[in-house]
Amino acid sequence: MSTIIRTVLTSLLLFMLPIAAYQAYTILIIGSCDPKFGCWGSFKLSLLIGSAYGFISLVALIAVQLVSKANMLNALSVLVTLLLGAAHWFMFSIEFLDSLTMQVAFWLVLSGVLYSLAAVISKKYNKQSQPTRTAQLL
């Protein structure tokens, strides 16, 4: 149970890291603030939207880990989580995802596919790195 809690916390923090960094860059360096919400309000709104996508990705990650029972490589799951965190803003520019239901379903499928690929690669890598029976006897 503690591994799931650790996975949840790590995944959410890693998912939010690129979002917070990008929003801090646009607010502090570029100075692009929404006139209605202000700088702090636009930062909080982007974190709120990003956390919703993060929880959807987290559902996919936990489902893949429970189904595949793979010990996912830490570096690979971190890379996929950071990639999803950086790519979530592109969902708003896709035309056929005009409804919220379509966006959630598409993001869940996309996260599931990426985490499944990471699990398959992790299983393959772990299988190759295990010593053979002959090596174990020596």
Side-chain angles (χ1 to χ4, degrees), residues 2-126:
S2 67
T3 57
I4 291 178
I5 294 171
R6 192 172 349 136
T7 302
V8 167
L9 292 176
T10 306
S11 176
L12 285 177
L13 287 175
L14 287 173
F15 190 88
M16 297 305 288
L17 184 68
I19 298 167
Y22 176 73
Q23 288 301 320
Y25 168 75
T26 58
I27 290 171
L28 297 175
I29 305 296
I30 297 175
S32 174
C33 297
D34 188 71
K36 183 176 182 180
F37 298 113
C39 293
W40 183 243
S42 61
F43 183 75
K44 289 192 298 187
L45 182 64
S46 66
L47 289 182
L48 179 69
I49 293 170
S51 66
Y53 280 100
F55 279 115
I56 295 169
S57 294
L58 188 62
V59 168
L61 173 65
I62 291 174
V64 166
Q65 282 185 340
L66 290 176
V67 169
S68 68
K69 296 179 182 156
N71 292 331
M72 293 179 66
L73 296 174
N74 289 335
L76 195 56
S77 64
V78 165
L79 180 68
V80 170
T81 304
L82 286 172
L83 175 73
L84 286 171
H88 89 281
W89 285 111
F90 295 112
M91 291 291 292
F92 299 119
S93 63
I94 299 175
E95 283 184 27
F96 70 90
L97 299 175
D98 56 351
S99 70
L100 184 63
T101 307
M102 289 293 292
Q103 284 184 359
V104 169
F106 183 76
W107 191 255
L108 187 62
V109 168
L110 180 68
S111 299
V113 166
L114 289 178
Y115 283 127
S116 296
L117 286 174
V120 166
I121 291 170
S122 295
K123 274 188 172 181
K124 191 173 194 176
Y125 179 76
N126 288 337

